[in-house]
Amino acid sequence: MRRYGPAALLLLTGGAVLRISLFGDLYLRYVQPGLRPYLIVSGVALVLLGAVSALTRRHGGHEAYEDDGHGHQHGPAGPRVAWLLTLPALALLLFPPPALGSYSAEREAAERSARGIGTFPALPSADPVELTLGEYTSRAIYDSERSLTGRTLRLTGFVTHDDDGARYVTRLLVACCAADATTSKVEIRGADALPDDTWITVTGTWKPEGDLGSEEAWPPVLEATSVERVEQPANPYEKR
């Protein structure tokens, strides 16, 4: 059976990729929505390669085994330990990992955008204004017109905290996939403490702190008027 090891690895990996990209929104834990077609094509290609490899080996006749000098024999597929390579693919197929959460956010240094202070497009006239965390932090730190002043704002993300007890609504921003994720977070004041990784929608008003573009302005603050627990969205990441 060892001769089918490479084929099994290809089939498992292809099956795992197809599972997360074809059946539901699991792929959004790893990549942006626009990359879904490429995942599907990759999964199909891996499954086809695995099937071709298995058929080729099935009709390829008997294997020649060589003694390695230590009394062990290894066939063309290599030693039995090579089967361990199938474990990551099998784990992804059966137990896909969750989206990145508070642990990843806390490890991420507080990175600031390279953009300078300037103006932003006008906000919608009706309150509350739904904003991504990336939009909120950019306006709070860099908007020379302070367009958030006096507006009722609504943000969605997961809960994190720091060692000083400050609480944040947090979101991970990705450009391509989860591997390049960076953190955007907003300090929440006036709300009850909730466990880390709890997804919430928080409504409140901006509380300016520090000069625009300064270290004191980071992270921006939201004075909460209401906090609602929500389900994790299908796409837990924001576009960077």
Side-chain angles (χ1 to χ4, degrees):
M1 291 295 294
R2 282 181 292 173
R3 63 178 176 176
Y4 293 108
L9 181 58
L10 287 169
L11 288 169
L12 282 173
T13 303
V17 172
L18 289 177
R19 183 201 171 189
I20 66 173
S21 57
L22 275 178
F23 308 108
D25 298 317
L26 282 175
Y27 74 99
L28 292 174
R29 299 180 182 180
Y30 313 102
V31 299
Q32 286 290 327
L35 295 178
R36 185 180 195 178
Y38 300 99
L39 284 178
I40 295 173
V41 170
S42 299
V44 170
L46 288 170
V47 169
L48 290 176
L49 284 172
V52 170
S53 177
L55 289 173
T56 301
R57 291 177 180 275
R58 179 181 179 183
H59 298 293
H62 296 288
E63 302 177 50
Y65 289 87
E66 298 179 357
D67 195 299
D68 62 4
H70 300 283
H72 303 111
Q73 289 185 326
H74 303 305
R80 291 177 181 174
V81 71
W83 279 95
L84 294 177
L85 294 174
T86 64
L87 294 181
L90 188 61
L92 181 61
L93 181 63
L94 299 178
F95 310 106
L100 301 179
S102 61
Y103 177 71
S104 300
E106 290 305 315
R107 293 187 61 190
E108 176 70 36
E111 296 184 0
R112 248 66 82 218
S113 171
R115 73 173 67 119
I117 296 170
T119 60
F120 286 72
L123 291 172
S125 58
D127 283 347
V129 181
E130 297 270 0
L131 291 175
T132 66
L133 264 69
E135 291 170 336
Y136 182 86
T137 55
S138 294
R139 287 178 182 270
I141 297 173
Y142 299 107
D143 186 5
S144 60
E145 296 184 348
R146 294 182 176 264
S147 58
L148 298 179
T149 303
R151 302 301 303 271
T152 300
L153 308 161
R154 182 173 292 161
L155 310 174
T156 297
F158 57 89
V159 176
T160 59
H161 74 281
D162 62 22
D163 294 336
D164 296 327
R167 298 186 297 278
Y168 305 93
V169 58
T170 305
R171 206 76 179 255
L172 294 171
L173 284 64
V174 301
C176 172
C177 58
D180 63 23
T182 58
T183 303
S184 182
K185 64 181 182 179
V186 174
E187 183 178 352
I188 302 301
R189 297 181 185 171
D192 295 334
L194 290 170
D196 277 1
D197 293 312
T198 303
W199 279 84
I200 61 172
T201 292
V202 56
T203 304
T205 55
W206 175 46
K207 179 178 175 58
E209 291 198 351
D211 296 328
L212 290 177
S214 69
E215 288 294 321
E216 291 75 18
W218 174 268
V221 177
L222 187 77
E223 288 283 357
T225 56
S226 68
V227 176
E228 177 187 1
R229 292 192 186 215
V230 296
E231 294 294 324
Q232 177 181 300
N235 185 359
Y237 308 121
E238 289 182 3
K239 179 71 175 177
R240 188 168 64 199

